[in-house]
Amino acid sequence: MSNAGRPPFVVRATDISEIEGHYPAPFDAEKLSFGRDLGRAAGSRSLGCWQERLPRGRRTSFTHAHLREEELIYVLAGTPTLRWRPPGGEAEEVPLEPGDLVAFPAGTGIAHTFRNDADMDAILLCIGERRLGDGSLYPDDPAWQAWRDEHRPQYRWPNDDRPSVAAEWPAWRIETDRLVLRPWEQADVPDLLALQRENQEHLAPTMPWARTLPTLDELLGTVRSFLRSFLEADDLVYGIFLPDGTPIGGTGLHPRIGPDGLEIGYWISKRHEGLGLVTEAAGALTRLALEVHRKQVVEIHCDPRNTRSAAIPARLGYTHVGTLPGRTRDALGRPRETMIWSLLSADLLDSPAHHTSVMARDALGRRLI
Ligand SMILES: CC(C)(COP(=O)(O)OP(=O)(O)OC[C@H]1O[C@@H](n2cnc3c(N)ncnc32)[C@H](O)[C@@H]1OP(=O)(O)O)[C@@H](O)C(=O)NCCC(=O)NCCS
């Protein structure tokens, strides 16, 4: 069947010419696979999709890991071998066969390549994200890594052993043991609205904004204003996500208590209460505000009747410095008391907050902490 009359986003692999992969000199002796760029032919933008044919004795690439691009490899034919190496560890090999799928989420540092030792060609379908600011790591091939770092410094993998002096506030991605915190993106808006809708009853008593749910467009406007504020390193509103990308709540570092301090706010879905996740997120933000951003003080404010909320600063070693009468209004508009919990930078080292495990990166992926 010919492709005539079909829309341009439908393509057939056999209509797309094979290109033999190659590295530049002096690495051009490396024998690579023959690839068909199906994704580009079909007009894919944010995902690449290649059909790779590996004759005997060839591999798909030097063993590599991506900083920001996730990859999926599906074996269509043949019996290729996966070679993989964990960060700082020894390489291992896994024999594969048709039907096997291999996933490499971005940023794990697990380097990989596919080799064919069999007579029959191996055919792989390789799908990978296309992301700006990707970096690559080549633990098996230091000469190639050095060449890349010199000739393509924009793809350099950040030195993850320690924070970078070049890293700039604010943190655009924060990882704790069980969570990822990052600014809400415009594409998150439908999921965020669904989360707010599902939790309206749970949130409305304490979060005035939850009493009336926004429309999708209104929430988009709100997320855009969060992003503008983020770009100015001003009010930092973060979504709380599970490592698989599921949004479960929100938190933030807010410049509401004068130039020397930041205030932390938070909420979490009913389903994820009681697991210590908010304590973990607030502990991470506390460390960032005091250790990285060098503020003198971090505060958490809450209604004394909100005992779950007040338990979080208490658990992190904050001090209850006072309760202000009637300055704030509750969700029903009635005046209410506000408890002020505070942690000074001088007290951080002795606080449980200091034991929160946290890794944070700036907008360019450089480590802040
Ligand atoms: C306030 C709110 C964020 C508190 O959430 P939370 O789930 O109680 O807080 P955490 O995620 O830190 O979990 C703490 C609970 O997990 C338990 N827990 C389990 N594992 C834990 C761990 N590794 N570390 C700490 N606590 C752990 C704690 O014992 C505690 O349980 P308990 O309340 O039964 O004693 C949540 O109730 C909420 O979103 N409420 C609505 C919005 C709101 O009020 N926001 C605050 C406005 S000031």
Side-chain angles (χ1 to χ4, degrees):
M1 198 206 289
S2 93
N3 216 40
R6 301 164 105 195
F9 45 81
V10 179
V11 297
R12 178 162 307 137
T14 45
D15 292 341
I16 295 155
S17 42
E18 272 193 335
I19 305 164
E20 184 178 1
H22 67 278
Y23 284 117
F27 304 94
D28 46 351
E30 183 69 33
K31 290 287 175 218
L32 299 175
S33 52
F34 295 86
R36 300 178 198 268
D37 190 349
L38 309 185
R40 217 172 277 275
S44 174
R45 292 183 187 158
S46 57
L47 294 176
C49 178
W50 286 75
Q51 191 192 76
E52 301 275 355
R53 183 170 63 82
L54 265 183
R56 183 187 180 89
R58 291 181 177 240
R59 59 174 168 168
T60 47
S61 65
F62 287 136
T63 315
H64 69 285
H66 287 285
L67 180 65
R68 293 183 198 280
E69 294 178 346
E70 178 157 333
E71 289 182 297
L72 289 173
I73 293 91
Y74 183 69
V75 182
L76 292 167
T79 52
T81 300
L82 161 66
R83 178 183 173 82
W84 69 281
R85 184 190 279 269
E90 291 302 311
E92 290 183 39
E93 303 209 333
V94 184
L96 300 172
E97 55 184 61
D100 286 339
L101 177 78
V102 191
F104 294 106
T108 62
I110 297 176
H112 55 274
T113 188
F114 295 83
R115 194 184 66 231
N116 186 17
D117 301 327
D119 286 332
M120 182 186 168
D121 285 358
I123 314 280
L124 306 171
L125 187 67
C126 307
I127 298 177
E129 293 178 289
R130 293 196 185 109
R131 281 190 185 253
L132 287 175
D134 188 42
S136 305
L137 209 57
Y138 294 89
D140 280 352
D141 301 280
W144 171 244
Q145 179 84 67
W147 187 95
R148 289 255 316 186
D149 287 352
E150 186 189 339
H151 292 86
R152 299 175 188 167
Q154 69 273 34
Y155 299 125
R156 197 185 291 231
W157 187 282
N159 180 350
D160 260 5
D161 297 345
R162 57 195 142 78
S164 157
V165 284
E168 276 184 18
W169 185 259
W172 281 75
R173 187 181 171 85
I174 301 168
E175 290 173 25
T176 65
D177 286 339
R178 295 176 290 169
L179 299 171
V180 172
L181 313 184
R182 62 160 175 80
W184 294 107
E185 291 169 7
Q186 297 182 73
D188 296 321
V189 166
D191 285 344
L192 174 56
L193 187 57
L195 187 67
Q196 291 182 354
R197 189 170 287 142
E198 194 185 305
N199 286 282
Q200 190 178 15
E201 248 179 68
H202 161 59
L203 298 173
T206 48
M207 312 300 280
W209 53 260
R211 297 202 68 213
T212 315
L213 285 181
T215 63
L216 206 58
D217 283 329
E218 284 166 348
L219 192 57
L220 181 62
T222 305
V223 164
R224 284 181 176 157
S225 73
F226 289 164
L227 276 171
R228 276 194 292 275
S229 186
F230 227 96
L231 288 168
E232 283 160 19
D234 184 22
D235 194 13
L236 306 178
V237 177
Y238 293 95
I240 305 180
F241 298 83
L242 297 177
D244 69 3
T246 308
I248 59 167
T251 186
L253 281 173
H254 310 294
R256 297 196 280 235
I257 57 167
D260 295 329
L262 286 169
E263 183 190 331
I264 295 178
Y266 39 68
W267 60 274
I268 195 154
S269 82
K270 187 81 195 146
R271 266 196 275 167
H272 295 89
E273 263 188 333
L275 301 171
L277 294 173
V278 185
T279 303
E280 193 168 304
L285 293 185
T286 304
R287 288 195 58 192
L288 282 165
L290 299 179
E291 281 177 52
V292 178
H293 203 34
R294 309 226 166 237
K295 291 290 172 188
Q296 291 304 310
V297 60
V298 183
E299 287 183 358
I300 291 177
H301 297 186
C302 68
D303 185 332
R305 294 167 296 180
N306 193 348
T307 51
R308 292 196 83 96
S309 182
I312 291 169
R315 218 176 272 123
L316 289 170
Y318 282 56
T319 304
H320 174 212
V321 290
T323 298
L324 302 178
R327 298 258 179 103
T328 321
R329 293 192 177 268
D330 67 14
L332 296 172
R334 296 170 305 207
R336 69 154 173 90
E337 293 184 319
T338 300
M339 271 183 130
I340 313 284
W341 292 82
S342 144
L343 186 67
L344 295 172
S345 68
D347 297 330
L348 176 67
L349 272 181
D350 296 326
S351 73
H354 188 244
H355 299 293
T356 311
S357 135
V358 53
M359 141 101 91
R361 297 181 187 283
D362 74 0
L364 289 179
R366 296 172 297 202
R367 253 185 86 169
L368 281 154
I369 187 171

